Amino acid sequence: MTDIATALTDLLLTPGLPLDEALDRHFAPDYRQRTDGSWADRAEFAAHIAHLREIVVGGEVQVFEELAQGDLYADRHVVDVRKTDGSSVRMEVYVFAELAADGRFRRIEETTLMLEGSDADRDLGSAR
């Protein structure tokens, strides 16, 4: 079974890991995500991560609470990222998810709260 910290580390914080490989490790083919009310399918999510890979140069994921039961998963985590322009963003994220039979994420619904960063970074959780 995957988890948010491992998935985000592979997606954003592991230079050299191809995006398709990271996606296949953690997200089912029929994956979809709702962030702050906006839905994205797997292709749109991949475009979002590709965009973030262009502007994020490092960071960390800190999980504060995490629950899994059967095919359901929930957590509360904070993502700190350093961007190519030298600025930093800190977001708190609340996640409710459904896992596929193989343990990868099938659906994530999340709400984000920006703790630090500029107004321009408020949509970083869904920017493409």
Side-chain angles (χ1 to χ4, degrees), residues 11-120:
L11 289 172
L12 296 177
L13 306 174
T14 306
L17 180 62
L19 178 55
D20 288 341
E21 185 177 335
L23 286 168
D24 288 342
R25 280 184 191 175
H26 304 287
F27 301 91
D30 60 346
Y31 177 73
R32 61 192 197 116
Q33 177 171 320
R34 185 173 74 164
T35 302
D36 298 327
S38 295
W39 281 102
D41 62 20
R42 185 174 158 143
E44 292 165 324
F45 176 70
H48 163 63
I49 298 301
H51 170 70
L52 291 182
R53 283 180 163 210
E54 292 176 1
I55 64 171
V56 171
V57 294
E60 72 173 313
V61 179
Q62 189 175 17
V63 176
F64 293 102
E65 290 144 342
E66 184 175 49
L67 302 164
Q69 181 177 357
D71 66 349
L72 300 177
Y73 174 93
D75 90 353
R76 180 176 69 91
H77 64 275
V78 169
V79 179
D80 287 290
V81 296
R82 291 179 308 283
K83 295 171 53 181
T84 55
D85 66 5
S87 66
S88 296
V89 179
R90 181 176 175 90
M91 304 280 287
E92 185 169 356
V93 184
Y94 297 82
V95 170
F96 289 91
E98 175 188 0
L99 301 169
D102 63 7
R104 295 184 290 171
F105 289 115
R106 169 173 281 141
R107 176 183 48 85
I108 287 179
E109 296 188 45
E110 67 181 15
T111 298
T112 64
L113 173 65
M114 189 167 73
L115 302 175
E116 295 174 19
S118 72
D119 284 341

